[in-house]
């Protein structure tokens, strides 16, 4: 089966025009771009599905003359997705019109600030972790921070029931129980 050249050109024009409109700042144009791409996708599914055939019901049409039901299901799904996306963009355009009096998408000032900051600190982004040091990630993590060494002397502190002398509470008492020191 060879598709019609006119249908293939129509698919190309719908996709190209839709992508061009998606790149605009006006939400109305973005909305029209979504709709054109959705229609282009539907047409592409229909062309890819092959020639028209009989109803895909066993017993009513010979199997070699049946149409492909998967294409029909995918077109219905694409219609629903396009409708939902259209409703969302339409709501955004309406809200933008209410707030600002236009539907133009503004530049994000925070994105500009982050891009300028990244450009200034470009040398700070060099990746020194790619060099092989021979140490495992666990060894490197232990060098950076050892959460079992509370006092920073390089030795693991005892935490189970029996506390070391250096880990005694600041009041000088060894235990919290008993009657000592009251």
């Amino acid at each position: 089966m060879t598709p019609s050249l006119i249908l293939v050109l129509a698919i190309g024009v719908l996709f190209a025009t839709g992508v061009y409109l998606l790149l605009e700042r006006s939400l109305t144009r973005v909305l029209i771009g979504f709709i054109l791409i959705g229609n282009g996708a539907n047409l592409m599914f229909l062309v890819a599905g092959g020639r028209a055939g009989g109803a895909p019901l066993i017993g009513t049409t010979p199997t070699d003359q049946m149409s492909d039901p998967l294409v029909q299901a995918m077109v219905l799904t694409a219609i629903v997705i396009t409708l939902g996306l259209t409703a969302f963009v339409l709501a955004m355009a309406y809200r933008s019109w209410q707030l600002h009096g236009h539907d133009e998408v503004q530049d994000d000032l925070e994105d500009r600030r982050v891009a300028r900051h990244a450009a200034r600190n470009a040398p700070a982004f060099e990746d020194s972790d790619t060099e092989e040091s021979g140490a495992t990630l666990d060894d490197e993590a232990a060098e950076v921070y050892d959460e079992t060494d509370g006092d920073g002397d390089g030795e693991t502190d005892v935490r189970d029931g029996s506390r070391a002398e250096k880990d005694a509470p600041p009041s000088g008492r060894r235990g919290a129980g008993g009657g000592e020191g009251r």
Side-chain angles (χ1 to χ4, degrees):
M1 188 216 122
T2 58
S4 170
L5 181 63
I6 294 174
L7 288 177
V8 172
L9 286 175
I11 293 169
V13 167
L14 286 172
F15 271 103
T17 308
V19 168
Y20 175 76
L21 290 173
L22 279 178
L23 298 175
E24 295 290 324
R25 289 199 176 273
S26 171
L27 286 175
T28 305
R29 291 182 182 185
V30 170
L31 174 67
I32 294 171
F34 278 130
I35 292 170
L36 289 176
I37 287 179
N39 288 333
N42 292 341
L43 193 57
M44 183 179 66
F45 285 140
L46 290 176
V47 168
R51 62 172 176 73
L57 299 172
I58 297 176
T60 60
T61 308
T63 56
D64 59 338
Q65 295 177 357
M66 285 185 188
S67 62
D68 188 8
L70 179 65
V71 174
Q72 297 168 10
M74 293 189 68
V75 167
L76 284 174
T77 304
I79 290 170
V80 170
I81 290 171
T82 303
L83 181 66
L85 199 56
T86 300
F88 176 70
V89 174
L90 198 58
M92 279 193 336
Y94 179 69
R95 185 65 178 159
S96 176
W97 185 266
Q98 278 184 330
L99 292 176
H100 306 293
H102 58 80
D103 67 344
E104 296 283 322
V105 177
Q106 301 294 320
D107 280 340
D108 189 10
L109 298 177
E110 186 66 19
D111 283 346
R112 284 187 189 173
R113 189 187 68 76
V114 168
R116 280 195 306 268
H117 185 69
R120 269 184 290 173
N121 294 330
F125 292 119
E126 292 178 9
D127 189 12
S128 62
D129 291 341
T130 58
E131 298 172 7
E132 291 294 325
S133 63
T136 65
L137 288 175
D138 292 333
D139 295 337
E140 291 177 8
E143 288 177 14
V144 174
Y145 177 71
D146 185 7
E147 57 193 37
T148 60
D149 183 18
D151 55 2
D153 63 353
E155 296 179 13
T156 302
D157 297 335
V158 179
R159 297 282 180 208
D160 61 315
S162 63
R163 299 171 83 183
E165 192 67 35
K166 60 184 175 183
D167 292 335
S171 65
R173 288 185 289 159
R174 278 195 74 68
E180 58 184 290
R182 283 191 187 173

